[in-house]
Amino acid sequence: LSNGGMLIRIPAVRVTGWNRPTADVLFVAPPGYPAAQPDCFWVEPNNFRLASGQTPQNSNDGNPIPGDTQPGRGTTWVSWHVQSWNPSRDTLITFLKVILSRLTPAR
């Protein structure tokens, strides 16, 4: 990314309770990773909703990925944060598990 971070994309993550059975999950490994922890994530395509059609908690479709090389990419941003991060122990897999805990159950 233009800010020195790396955009990570996990395609076709299986989800339950949402308006689609799979979603591509994107997140940023920030400059300074692993000392700097990842924060928030995006789901592509946008309009990621609960199965009821409601907007998920702490999300919106208008917050782009900082420094994205694809301007105008349609995503749903989810404000979800790691509660504890130890750069000697935690990895991008740790953050993916945090994301998965946000997606299941759907809320």
Side-chain angles (χ1 to χ4, degrees), residues 10-31:
I10 311 297
V13 174
R14 291 180 191 239
V15 293
T16 303
W18 298 93
N19 64 341
R20 59 184 73 129
T22 64
D24 292 354
V25 172
L26 300 94
F27 62 94
V28 174

Side-chain angles (χ1 to χ4, degrees), residues 13-105:
V13 174
R14 291 180 191 239
V15 293
T16 303
W18 298 93
N19 64 341
R20 59 184 73 129
T22 64
D24 292 354
V25 172
L26 300 94
F27 62 94
V28 174
Y33 169 84
Q37 68 190 40
D39 189 50
C40 303
F41 66 95
W42 292 260
V43 177
E44 189 176 36
N46 63 346
N47 296 315
F48 189 61
R49 302 291 184 259
L50 302 175
S52 66
Q54 293 178 300
T55 301
Q57 294 174 0
N58 304 320
S59 74
N60 70 58
D61 292 332
N63 195 353
I65 299 167
D68 194 355
T69 58
Q70 290 184 355
R73 182 193 309 250
T75 60
T76 297
W77 170 72
V78 182
S79 178
W80 199 246
H81 317 284
V82 175
Q83 298 303 308
S84 159
W85 183 264
N86 179 338
S88 298
R89 177 195 68 227
D90 294 317
T91 66
L92 297 177
I93 297 297
T94 305
F95 190 64
L96 178 59
K97 289 177 182 178
V98 168
I99 292 170
L100 296 176
S101 75
R102 169 58 181 90
L103 296 176
T104 305

